Amino acid sequence: DKLDDHKRQLAKSHPDEVIFVEAPTVESIVQYENQNGPIWQQRQTEDTLLALRDVNRRTCRRIETDMYNYFSEFENLSKESPLEMPQHNAPVPPLAERPGKSGSKIFSRDQIHPNDEGYDYWGRYIASAIVDQWKAT
């Protein structure tokens, strides 16, 4: 693809300023949809308690306020022994159980733009490439 070739060349010409990230493989996307693979495992290590994606702004603010109040009360109790809570904000239903063929479930209905899970995947994928680039320099 000409556009990707141009981006690759730009990254080679300006290695300290531009990074080109190859597109992920379908296998990598399918792993994520099946809640496997390194990108999914990275997601599981985070301490996100709740993903407020498919709710309106008012509901989101109310839930955030309730959580803030709850954990503010807990903060003083847990300073000596902090809580360890696993992250379980997997999509419901799981991506693998959603309609569509494997590798397409992180895209919106138009099959071009990412859906919420797709943005999560792409953000992690690109961030991982950036971190790998930093480690290599």
Side-chain angles (χ1 to χ4, degrees), residues 23 37-38 53 56 83 86 99 103 113-114 124 129:
R53 292 189 179 108
N56 65 41
L83 292 175
H113 299 95
R124 293 172 191 285

Side-chain angles (χ1 to χ4, degrees), residues 1-10 20:
D1 173 68
K2 270 192 171 298
L3 187 56
D4 279 352
D5 289 342
H6 177 72
K7 291 176 188 177
R8 271 188 209 92
Q9 190 58 41
L10 187 62
F20 176 78

Side-chain angles (χ1 to χ4, degrees), residues 115-127:
N115 59 23
D116 287 345
E117 292 300 321
Y119 279 111
D120 186 87
Y121 173 85
W122 280 99
R124 293 172 191 285
Y125 181 79
I126 293 169

